[in-house]
Structures are given as C-alpha cells and as structure tokens.
Amino acid sequence: MDFKIDGNASLKDQEVTLNHTELQGVLKLVSYVFDGTPDKPHDNLATFEDRDIAVPIPPLKLTESGTGTDIWVGGVIKKVAISR
Amino acid sequence: MLKKTFVSSLLSLTTPIVLSLCVGLLSASLVQAQKTPKIFTTDQANSTAATNMSYVNSLEGEYKTATDPLQKKLLRNRLIYIGVEQIDTEFNAFRRHSRKRNDLLQFLFDFLEIGVSTTIGVINGERAKTVLAEALTGFKGVRTSASKNFRLMETQILFNKMVANRAKRLQLVYAKLNDDVGSYPWERARSELKEYFYAGTTDDALNTLSIDTGAEASEETVKVERLKTKTLAELESAKSCDQIRADFFAKAKAGDAAAILKLKAALNANLDLTGGKTAADINALDVPGLEALYKDIGRRLLNEPAKYQKICDALK
C-alpha cells in the first residue's frame, strides 16, 4: 500500500506521520523514498505492508545518516535511515 | 579529488557505451519478427499476389470491359479481396512499427530515470543530490507530457479500438459480396474499402473513443493517497488505540466471545464509519472479517483521525 508524504515537512513531522499511519492503518513501513512529481516536486513515497492487528508495532525512528535512503526533508534531499 | 575525477571520467566514458549497447540489443531483438511468406509478395508476371499491381490493373481492365453481370460480380469481389489484403498488410506494418517505437522510447525513459536515481545514491553532497532530484522531477514531467501529447500510454487502447472499427467496416463490405454490380459496383466497394483503411488510423480511433487524450490513460494508473502531516497529539491517540485494539483482537483470536462482542459493539456504535455496513452485516462477521473491517476503516480514515478515534473510544 503506497502513500505520499510532503517532503517539505521536517524530519520529525514525517516521522510522526509515518508512525501514525502504521498504528491507525495497521500497517508496517517497508520503504520510504523520494518521489516528486511536477505538481508536488518534494513528495516522498511510503510503501507499507499489512501486519497482524493483534500485535502492537514498535515505533519507527527517522535519523539523518550517511547510509540511509534519499528523501525530501524540508524541501532538500537528505540521506535518512529508518530504525525501530 | 583525484578519485572523484577518476570516477567522473569513468562514468562519462562508460555511460554512452552502455547506452549504445542496450539500444543495439533492444533494436536487434525487436527486428526478429517472422519473415513474410513469398506467396504474399511475389511480383512475377503470372502472380496473383495483392502486391502485383500489373495483375490488379488487369483485373480492373477486365471489370471495365466485362458485360456478363456474373463475371463482373466475380471480378469486383476479387478486387475487394485484393484491396483488403493490401490494407491489412499496411495496418500490420504500422502496428508493428508503432509498438517498436513506443517500447524503445519507454525503455530509454526508464533507463534515464534509473540512471539519475542511481547517481543520486552514489554521489556526495546534499546540494548535488538536491539538484539532481529536482532535475529528475522535471524529467518525469517531460515524460508525462510526452506520454500525454503523443498518446504513448494509450497505444494499446487505440489499437484495440482500431481492430474493432476495422472489423465493423469490413463486415459492411463482406455483407454485400452477393449483391449484383448494379447496386454495388466496384467503385462503391472501393469507397467502402477506403473507410476500412481509415478505420485503422489513430484519428479514427480517437474519434470513436470518448476519452480526453491522456486523461484516462493517466487515470488508469493507481492514485496514491497523500497523507496529511499528523500532530504529536494524534500520534499519542493512535498509540493508545493500537494497544487497546490489539488487546481485544488477541483475545478474540483466542476465542474470547466477550472480546468479539465488544469489537462488534464498537462498530455498531459507529455504523456511519463502516463504509455502508449494517448492524446485521457486523454481527455476522467472524474474527478475520472483523480484522479486515477494522483495517479497512483505519486506512480509509488515515486523513481523518478524529473520526477513527470514535471507534477507539467505543472500545474503552
């Protein structure tokens, strides 16, 4: 399941949005990459998979890192690692 | 610095080589179509092939001078069959070349997108990454515009419509093969064969298709929902809800009837959020059905967390 997230938002705001999606949507983040379009040039694409509703999921954390994936953060491309 | 220069030189040297190799391989694979059997293409003097214009002209000459109505009818029908064969040959060649061109173009677009994305992952420097990412976004816009204005993504839709239109027009011609030449002369048949030819053109397919160029093609791609940025308060509520919901479902999956009733009651108290379900539908659900419905509601209301919170509140 794919969703777009505004890459003009701060890293913290994007982290909050991703965690909320995992919790309410009963989903688990699989990948998070930059994916702008001419209409929304600073969008990031989050891909989720289904998870068991009976098992709570630990929160994920986004951290700027040299070994992460490239995503839009505050309108700028940054390398971000995802951890739990 | 020396390492960066070396890497840049290596990339600029190998990129055109790899690109040329891929284009060459792709072109080579595309041209390996079946060869046309010789019986269809011979231009020998005695040949009756549709491509033998001497033969076709001689038939037309015979048609003009024939006086026997049956003889004239037979000559007309032979001319019709030859016309259909010529038109079909041209249409199939057009379809083959269009597909080849479209496939090559899409491959080149994909190649460039992948190349730029990979480069962003390899190079250092935030500014460089940002610039390349912006360029990639611009390129995607160019690709979308090209696809829309040159109808690249609609090729199969258009060809399907052409095939359907051609079949209809040909049926109109073949239905009159038994008509005498008085009511259906070769001249009229030739005019209808022209309509059959035009049915295999892009313009005719577009005229009969009720689509806005590019709009339906792009609508056919999956629409990805855009999530609103959430607040910390909304996140905290979702954490609490996830825990409560998980507890109930753990019990329900273990066979706890009270937990199952509670999960159903929370939905029944908020039927307006269940996507058209009735109380009877809810009560008839088994545990997997309940899980699927809770997930569906949660995902549908991702941008309306306050509404989903009502279900969580009903579980407390």
Side-chain angles (χ1 to χ4, degrees):
Chain A
M1 221 171 166
D2 292 343
F3 295 98
K4 287 286 185 88
I5 289 180
D6 186 6
N8 290 313
S10 69
L11 195 62
K12 186 65 185 171
D13 282 346
Q14 291 185 50
E15 181 184 291
V16 167
T17 305
L18 288 171
N19 274 308
H20 179 273
T21 305
E22 284 194 328
L23 291 167
Q24 180 177 310
V26 199
L27 294 163
K28 183 180 175 187
L29 184 70
V30 171
S31 71
Y32 193 45
V33 296
F34 73 93
D35 189 35
T37 61
D39 291 337
K40 302 280 182 192
H42 297 155
D43 271 2
N44 294 318
L45 181 71
T47 302
F48 295 87
E49 63 182 9
D50 192 30
R51 66 174 175 90
D52 189 346
I53 200 170
V55 180
I57 188 167
L60 63 84
K61 188 155 180 58
L62 299 181
T63 320
E64 277 193 50
S65 157
T67 56
T69 56
D70 293 307
I71 62 165
W72 291 106
V73 179
V76 175
I77 282 283
K78 292 192 191 274
K79 258 201 191 317
V80 169
I82 302 168
S83 58
R84 291 192 189 271
Chain B
M1 185 70 175
L2 191 64
K3 194 176 174 182
K4 206 189 279 188
T5 309
F6 172 74
V7 169
S8 304
S9 303
L10 188 65
L11 276 173
S12 59
L13 180 65
T14 56
T15 300
I17 295 170
V18 169
L19 184 59
S20 305
L21 189 65
C22 287
V23 169
L25 283 171
L26 187 64
S27 303
S29 65
L30 286 172
V31 299
Q32 288 197 3
Q34 288 180 350
K35 288 188 180 173
T36 307
K38 288 191 170 60
I39 195 166
F40 295 147
T41 58
T42 180
D43 283 325
Q44 296 295 321
N46 296 326
S47 165
T48 59
T51 50
N52 186 353
M53 285 314 294
S54 312
Y55 169 65
V56 175
N57 291 336
S58 72
L59 277 181
E60 286 182 301
E62 282 181 55
Y63 174 83
K64 270 173 74 175
T65 57
T67 53
D68 176 33
L70 184 60
Q71 169 81 355
K72 224 169 162 81
K73 180 173 153 184
L74 288 173
L75 286 165
R76 178 204 66 199
N77 288 352
R78 283 159 83 179
L79 286 166
I80 287 173
Y81 297 142
I82 287 171
V84 168
E85 187 179 339
Q86 286 187 357
I87 292 168
D88 286 348
T89 302
E90 291 303 321
F91 175 73
N92 289 331
F94 163 63
R95 183 164 54 177
R96 191 170 56 248
H97 290 142
S98 286
R99 278 196 180 141
K100 189 161 68 175
R101 180 199 65 193
N102 196 20
D103 289 347
L104 185 59
L105 205 55
Q106 293 304 325
F107 166 74
L108 287 174
F109 281 148
D110 287 340
F111 186 88
L112 289 169
E113 269 194 49
I114 293 167
V116 175
S117 295
T118 307
T119 305
I120 291 171
V122 167
I123 63 169
N124 287 325
E126 284 183 14
R127 176 64 188 155
K129 284 177 188 289
T130 304
V131 166
L132 274 177
E134 298 272 14
L136 181 59
T137 301
F139 175 76
K140 285 182 182 179
V142 167
R143 182 175 185 174
T144 303
S145 176
S147 294
K148 186 184 86 165
N149 289 301
F150 296 106
R151 307 177 188 98
L152 298 178
M153 302 313 291
E154 300 165 291
T155 303
Q156 193 52 53
I157 299 172
L158 288 173
F159 276 121
N160 289 346
K161 181 48 81 175
M162 285 179 209
V163 167
N165 286 351
R166 277 161 44 87
K168 281 183 202 165
R169 302 274 171 84
L170 189 59
Q171 181 57 34
L172 293 175
V173 172
Y174 280 172
K176 298 197 256 303
L177 287 176
N178 265 333
D179 292 0
D180 60 60
V181 291
S183 57
Y184 192 57
W186 161 237
E187 288 79 3
R188 185 174 161 199
R190 188 173 56 205
S191 169
E192 290 188 354
L193 282 177
K194 275 188 188 165
E195 294 298 316
Y196 174 57
F197 166 72
Y198 289 136
T201 63
T202 305
D203 286 339
D204 192 77
L206 284 173
N207 282 340
T208 52
L209 272 171
S210 57
I211 60 171
D212 180 20
T213 308
E216 278 200 11
S218 57
E219 278 169 9
E220 280 182 14
T221 61
V222 175
K223 276 202 173 115
V224 178
E225 189 181 346
R226 209 152 179 274
L227 294 174
K228 291 179 190 169
T229 301
K230 302 299 184 294
T231 63
L232 275 170
E234 285 168 337
L235 177 60
E236 290 304 315
S237 298
K239 268 185 206 169
S240 163
C241 184
D242 182 54
Q243 188 62 61
I244 296 170
R245 188 184 57 200
D247 287 344
F248 275 107
F249 267 101
K251 290 175 185 170
K253 287 185 177 188
D256 187 329
I260 295 173
L261 279 174
K262 187 72 177 176
L263 285 167
K264 290 181 178 177
L267 292 176
N268 281 327
N270 293 281
L271 279 177
D272 56 317
L273 302 178
T274 60
K277 295 263 187 293
T278 63
D281 295 332
I282 305 288
N283 293 334
L285 286 173
D286 56 10
V287 175
L290 275 172
E291 179 173 359
L293 185 54
Y294 267 85
K295 284 177 177 178
D296 173 63
I297 298 170
R299 290 163 193 179
R300 260 191 300 106
L301 297 177
L302 277 172
N303 279 334
E304 296 178 277
K307 282 187 180 174
Y308 190 73
Q309 188 58 41
K310 293 181 186 175
I311 295 181
C312 299
D313 292 340
L315 279 173
K316 288 176 185 166

